[in-house]
Amino acid sequence: MLDADRFRFDITKGEIRLNGIHVSFLPIKSKDGKDINYRPSLSTSKGYENMRPPIRADIVDAATGALKGQQFFKAEDYIAPFKKMVLVDQFGGDYFPFWANVKEGSYEIRFFLGKSQFYTFPFQVEKKTNPDAYAPVKDLYFLRGPWEEWAMIQFDERSGEVLPSIYLTERNLDIKSQTNWNDTVPMKGLVKISRNGTLVATYGQTINSGDFTPDNGKWTRCQFLTYKAGSNDKSMFTKADMKDGNYVMDVNVKNPKNGKTYVAKYGFAVKGGEILPHPKADRNQNKDPLTVVEQGKEFFYFKKM
């Protein structure tokens, strides 16, 4: 849900479209023991009302509960226990809508399998108005939400290199046109990772050396390399280097064009050579499926301090 390619948002219209989301632990059989078909045929002699994609997402106003839109999904096999949700967008959106309008306000995306809700994703939309009389679009809409709270780490499968990611965006009102608003915004930054107060890894030597490239109007997952502290970006920081202890990741990113900076600290712990899952991402601790941060076995999410 935190991936811009899965959560597509048009800042000129305030519209979202979801697709390609991975979902875990879908049941194989219904309560009456029948196999569940997550890829139903959308052609039937009985009419549209019998075409029932098994999964849907209700986009609702968080304050009032008012329904703002619905999107429907099939599910394709992926690496168990995950499946890939595929948006049903046949018939030009007339019967299965694939855009939902979410102008200024707080919202929730509530996912359902049949009548049972299985996940909730909260987010907010802010409106900003361009005072330029010749602006191609006067009102633009920008997302806020969990992107601002979380970072993650994954490891290179072959080398074990530590590959953190943070989520960055730009809120630029000076767009080229109503269809050309999501330019990549080159930024520079410095990341320092400390264990028990001692610097162990970096990305960049100064704030002007590390590269980050978020998009305007999109929350972009910006992944970067890490190097052993003091190696002058010569020796990679790997999983084998992640000794047990409490870690802090200091992030300092600057947009050279406008001077705006993003500063944040994220914390996590390593025990037995493994990153301890955040309580919200630990299925042994967080028993609420509506709020669990699904990190699977490849990603390790940790939160802003």
Side-chain angles (χ1 to χ4, degrees):
M1 287 297 294
L2 297 177
D3 193 318
D5 291 332
R6 312 289 181 245
F7 192 115
R8 302 176 188 177
F9 185 72
D10 187 325
I11 68 171
T12 67
K13 300 175 182 177
E15 291 181 339
I16 63 169
R17 172 179 173 144
L18 308 171
N19 199 8
I21 301 165
H22 290 153
V23 58
S24 58
F25 302 109
L26 289 177
I28 299 174
K29 294 184 179 292
S30 62
K31 290 181 178 180
D32 59 6
K34 295 181 180 179
D35 291 338
I36 298 177
N37 179 14
Y38 287 105
R39 301 187 64 183
S41 171
L42 297 182
S43 59
T44 171
S45 60
K46 296 183 179 180
Y48 288 172
E49 70 276 4
N50 291 292
M51 300 181 197
R52 296 296 184 190
I55 304 170
R56 81 171 193 276
D58 288 357
I59 297 93
V60 303
D61 185 304
T64 67
L67 184 65
K68 307 299 292 186
Q70 290 182 312
Q71 295 179 13
F72 297 85
F73 303 87
K74 299 182 288 184
E76 296 180 347
D77 288 340
Y78 191 63
I79 301 172
F82 290 89
K83 288 183 180 290
K84 183 177 180 179
M85 291 168 49
V86 179
L87 181 68
V88 178
D89 58 2
Q90 279 87 345
F91 315 116
D94 292 335
Y95 188 74
F96 296 114
F98 45 83
W99 289 102
N101 191 278
V102 285
K103 299 283 177 72
E104 197 172 16
S106 295
Y107 301 92
E108 290 182 351
I109 304 175
R110 300 172 183 173
F111 290 91
F112 289 84
L113 175 59
K115 296 180 180 180
S116 299
Q117 184 179 350
F118 66 86
Y119 197 68
T120 301
F121 185 85
F123 68 99
Q124 301 82 43
V125 179
E126 290 183 348
K127 183 175 78 170
K128 293 184 178 295
T129 301
N130 193 332
D132 183 358
Y134 295 98
V137 181
K138 295 289 289 183
D139 294 332
L140 296 175
Y141 303 90
F142 295 96
L143 292 170
R144 303 199 76 106
W147 302 274
E148 299 169 81
E149 301 177 19
W150 296 95
M152 81 172 198
I153 282 177
Q154 62 186 127
F155 301 103
D156 184 274
E157 292 182 357
R158 296 181 180 179
S159 67
E161 293 170 3
V162 178
L163 303 173
S165 295
I166 57 175
Y167 295 91
L168 295 173
T169 190
E170 176 68 10
R171 297 181 175 89
N172 189 355
L173 300 177
D174 187 20
I175 64 175
K176 294 178 181 178
S177 72
Q178 59 269 36
T179 58
N180 190 357
W181 48 263
N182 59 336
D183 283 342
T184 297
V185 184
M187 297 184 182
K188 293 291 185 179
L190 172 65
V191 178
K192 297 179 179 180
I193 300 177
S194 301
R195 178 178 61 241
N196 298 334
T198 300
L199 184 66
V200 293
T202 61
Y203 172 61
Q205 297 299 308
T206 70
I207 193 174
N208 293 316
S209 56
D211 292 315
F212 297 86
T213 53
D215 295 326
N216 185 49
K218 289 184 178 181
W219 281 98
T220 307
R221 183 169 71 88
C222 297
Q223 188 178 73
F224 50 91
L225 301 170
T226 52
Y227 299 87
K228 292 180 183 179
S231 71
N232 198 27
D233 293 353
K234 300 297 183 182
S235 181
M236 301 301 304
F237 186 64
T238 69
K239 185 177 181 180
D241 299 313
M242 296 190 74
K243 308 304 181 184
D244 290 4
N246 295 314
Y247 287 74
V248 174
M249 185 171 77
D250 283 281
V251 176
N252 194 336
V253 178
K254 181 174 70 174
N255 182 337
K257 191 172 183 179
N258 59 25
K260 292 181 179 179
T261 59
Y262 174 81
V263 179
K265 290 179 183 288
Y266 301 87
F268 61 96
V270 174
K271 186 176 181 180
E274 300 293 337
I275 297 177
L276 296 180
H278 188 279
K280 284 194 172 182
D282 188 345
R283 286 185 170 273
N284 291 321
Q285 296 186 58
N286 187 358
K287 301 295 186 180
D288 180 8
L290 300 184
T291 63
V292 68
V293 177
E294 180 56 87
Q295 63 180 16
K297 299 180 70 174
E298 297 179 5
F299 303 142
F300 301 90
Y301 278 92
F302 51 104
K303 205 168 186 182
K304 185 183 294 185
M305 300 171 68

